[in-house]
Amino acid sequence: MSGFQRVVSKDTAEKFYLKVALEFENPDTRIDSVQFRALVSKALHQLYGETGASIPVDILRFQDDTMEAILRVSGRSLVKVWSALTLLGEYAQEECAIRVTQVSPHLLALAVDSRHFFQNLPS
Amino acid sequence: MHVHRTTTTVPVFQYINNNREFGKMDTCDLHLLGNSDENALKLSLQCAARLGYGVVAIGYNCPVQEKQGGDKNKVKLPNAPAAVKLDGQTKAAVGVQSKGFKQLSRVNMVLSEGSETHKLRQDNIQSYDLLAVQPTTEKMFHMACTKLEIDIVCVDMTEKLPFYFKRVAINAAIERGLYFEIPYAPAIRDSTMRKNVLSNAMALITLCRGKNVIITSQATKPLEIRGPHDVANLGLLFGLSEQEAKNAVSTNCRAVLYHAATRRNTIKSVMSLQQIGDLSGKDRWKVKAGQEACGMSIQEGGDPTEDEGSGVVAQSLEGSEGRAKTSKRRKSKSKRNSVDEQSAMKRTRQDSAGVD
């Protein structure tokens, strides 16, 4: 292994990775990964109908305790998935909000959050 | 009165001052509903601060006046309420991001007839940072776009509009530097509103070609607020291009703030007056230079507690687009002040005070 390998991706990115956090009105509400998948598909269905629900969204990771998830979508459908998640306001008769913390074409980039970089520094 | 001309650029508004230092564009949410209860408002503000907004305006609706009430029980618009205090945790979170968080107040006037426009001339309105008008008829929409001295035109997008947007009116509004507001929180609340907001927003954006649009929340609860990047992405859904969508939460909002500042704090958009006591240290030279220009003796030390401290410095705002009509009374009062207290009046050129 000799040093670094440089990777240049031209054109639009094939896949996008989203790091999202789910919030409920009642902070004690918890859902599991299966319910989260249903929630994402409901969000897509309510904004884009059947065609939206057919967009493949991979849930790479879902953390039960913090309700944070990493999603993978194709670059073409990023705007659709993102806006569907933004406009979701309610799940299972409870108000909720999905906060998209990071969006990146590289999964590795989600390891560090430049938007909250200063917040995460150890003091 | 001697008026001296120089070509120095002087920052006029405090807001611009702050922004220059950070060199980063603040994102704004120019409409949180302020008529809801105080606790919810506080939570919403904290949520907005954490999500990374730099400027948030709290909208208050003007109280509706009963027709038969007469002058006795005239409902008066209260003065702009003070900024809500945030808790330490939020302040700390905002602090380490090295960005400020600014709260503004805004007043919404629902108008349907031309005869109601006298409400815009109330004195208390000047105490609010932003002035928005919600026209309910086509005539009023046209009037708001072409004639009224306001900052934001916010049509109620949650219902099917009783009129179509007209290109003439919208072009006039763009020319005059007014901005149209698109709310997104109603789209989160329920499905019918979502349909209406989407269709109205798309209709508006096709007509104004993506210019002069701001996207605001109109949220009552923290759960209805979304982060600035999410909102910019929603702009794509409304039919804006990527850059226009970003502008709708940052640059355009800033332009609204400039427009409002020009409307409120200036005399005919040409001069602004400021108490010498309020001047920051680096602007003190203006007083001195002004006194020299007027041929007055220069007081050594420049002690702000002396009579000089209540003087007024005027700054010109050439190149600014907003045209503010200041009442004659106010103008003459400020003139009297400045003459009485022997303040130095000085005119400087503001190259970039205008709306970008």
Side-chain angles (χ1 to χ4, degrees):
Chain A
M1 192 71 195
S2 60
F4 299 104
Q5 191 192 359
R6 188 185 169 118
V7 183
V8 179
S9 58
K10 289 176 182 168
D11 218 357
T12 48
E14 213 170 283
K15 296 278 186 192
F16 268 87
Y17 299 87
L18 295 100
K19 195 179 189 181
V20 301
L22 182 60
E23 255 180 54
F24 279 102
E25 194 175 26
N26 174 10
D28 298 328
T29 312
R30 287 277 174 277
I31 61 169
D32 58 20
S33 58
V34 180
Q35 283 169 305
F36 183 74
R37 180 174 287 282
L39 178 143
V40 172
S41 120
K42 188 206 157 187
L44 280 163
H45 193 274
Q46 79 169 15
L47 193 62
Y48 293 104
E50 296 286 343
T51 45
S54 70
I55 294 173
V57 179
D58 304 325
I59 297 170
L60 301 187
R61 164 159 301 185
F62 181 78
Q63 278 184 318
D64 294 290
D65 49 344
T66 55
M67 293 207 286
E68 280 184 322
I70 294 177
L71 311 178
R72 179 174 62 191
V73 295
S74 70
R76 208 181 312 151
S77 47
L78 171 74
V79 174
K80 281 187 180 176
V81 174
W82 193 352
S83 52
L85 292 177
T86 311
L87 285 183
L88 183 75
E90 174 256 351
Y91 178 71
Q93 278 83 50
E94 190 172 349
E95 287 192 34
C96 67
I98 293 185
R99 312 254 183 241
V100 180
T101 30
Q102 272 176 288
V103 181
S104 170
H106 309 288
L107 183 57
L108 192 61
L110 301 190
V112 182
D113 187 351
S114 61
R115 281 185 204 162
H116 300 112
F117 181 68
F118 290 103
Q119 279 178 353
N120 297 336
L121 279 181
S123 49
Chain B
M1 177 158 302
H2 296 274
V3 175
H4 183 66
R5 237 176 217 282
T6 63
T7 51
T8 331
T9 307
V10 181
V12 178
F13 311 117
Q14 203 57 47
Y15 174 74
I16 303 167
N17 255 337
N18 291 342
N19 229 28
R20 269 193 192 154
E21 277 164 27
F22 300 123
K24 193 177 170 186
M25 188 66 80
D26 274 338
T27 46
C28 315
D29 182 353
L30 292 186
H31 198 176
L32 279 184
L33 293 184
N35 294 63
S36 56
D37 75 299
E38 216 160 286
N39 200 30
L41 177 63
K42 192 179 168 187
L43 287 174
S44 308
L45 277 169
Q46 285 171 354
C47 179
R50 285 212 187 108
L51 287 173
Y53 285 101
V55 181
V56 168
I58 306 158
Y60 297 93
N61 284 327
C62 188
V64 187
Q65 196 176 322
E66 301 286 332
K67 271 267 159 81
Q68 64 272 41
D71 275 1
K72 269 185 189 167
N73 19 353
K74 204 173 175 181
V75 194
K76 251 196 131 183
L77 182 70
N79 267 322
V84 183
K85 284 213 172 75
L86 304 179
D87 65 11
Q89 215 184 341
T90 316
K91 269 188 199 155
V94 174
V96 286
Q97 282 179 43
S98 75
K99 278 202 289 181
F101 181 69
K102 204 170 160 67
Q103 291 177 41
L104 302 173
S105 56
R106 111 178 207 168
V107 61
N108 304 316
M109 311 283 288
V110 185
L111 300 179
S112 54
E113 292 171 46
S115 59
E116 288 177 303
T117 51
H118 68 272
K119 288 182 190 166
L120 295 174
R121 271 175 250 125
Q122 293 175 51
D123 284 344
N124 288 346
I125 279 196
Q126 294 292 335
S127 68
Y128 290 83
D129 292 307
L130 300 171
L131 173 54
V133 158
Q134 182 186 324
T136 49
T137 57
E138 173 153 24
K139 234 180 170 177
M140 200 58 229
F141 179 74
H142 192 269
M143 196 168 173
C145 288
T146 52
K147 288 201 186 76
L148 297 183
E149 291 294 341
I150 51 174
D151 306 315
I152 301 171
V153 182
C154 66
V155 191
D156 184 14
M157 296 219 172
T158 57
E159 278 161 32
K160 201 166 185 305
L161 286 183
F163 57 89
Y164 291 109
F165 295 120
K166 286 276 161 59
R167 183 153 261 162
V168 188
I170 286 178
N171 283 348
I174 293 175
E175 189 102 321
R176 276 161 27 91
L178 302 187
Y179 281 77
F180 296 99
E181 171 181 328
I182 298 173
Y184 66 83
I188 296 171
R189 256 173 243 147
D190 103 280
S191 142
T192 333
M193 284 190 188
R194 176 160 44 234
K195 280 175 207 159
N196 289 333
V197 168
L198 279 172
S199 72
N200 289 330
M202 283 172 179
L204 177 68
I205 283 168
T206 13
L207 276 183
C208 63
R209 297 179 294 273
K211 280 187 230 160
N212 286 45
V213 173
I214 56 172
I215 306 180
T216 63
S217 69
Q218 293 198 2
T220 50
K221 286 179 280 193
L223 277 181
E224 289 172 348
I225 304 176
R226 296 291 186 263
H229 297 270
D230 299 3
V231 177
N233 182 67
L234 267 189
L236 299 178
L237 190 67
F238 293 145
L240 297 169
S241 75
E242 215 163 293
Q243 193 55 50
E244 287 163 352
K246 276 180 193 155
N247 289 347
V249 280
S250 58
T251 323
N252 290 0
C253 295
R254 214 165 89 107
V256 172
L257 299 183
Y258 279 101
H259 187 271
T262 326
R263 176 181 56 77
R264 286 174 70 222
N265 305 335
T266 64
I267 300 163
K268 304 264 179 201
S269 300
V270 180
M271 287 182 172
S272 74
L273 296 169
Q274 206 177 0
Q275 298 285 331
I276 288 182
D278 299 341
L279 277 180
S280 62
K282 62 179 177 185
D283 288 340
R284 282 287 160 89
W285 63 271
K286 286 187 244 168
V287 183
K288 226 173 172 182
Q291 283 172 333
E292 272 173 14
C294 298
M296 291 192 299
S297 64
I298 301 159
Q299 290 164 8
E300 284 303 317
D303 188 7
T305 52
E306 280 178 32
D307 199 28
E308 185 194 356
S310 51
V312 180
V313 167
Q315 303 176 334
S316 87
L317 299 169
E318 282 167 28
S320 58
E321 271 180 37
R323 263 171 292 137
K325 268 186 192 155
T326 329
S327 64
K328 269 189 181 164
R329 187 159 46 88
R330 197 174 142 204
K331 191 179 169 186
S332 60
K333 193 182 159 196
S334 51
K335 254 190 184 169
R336 201 170 54 236
N337 265 346
S338 55
V339 173
D340 283 349
E341 290 158 3
Q342 293 196 331
S343 76
M345 192 133 199
K346 172 167 165 41
R347 200 164 175 205
T348 45
R349 177 166 295 167
Q350 176 72 25
D351 296 320
S352 54
V355 180
D356 354 19

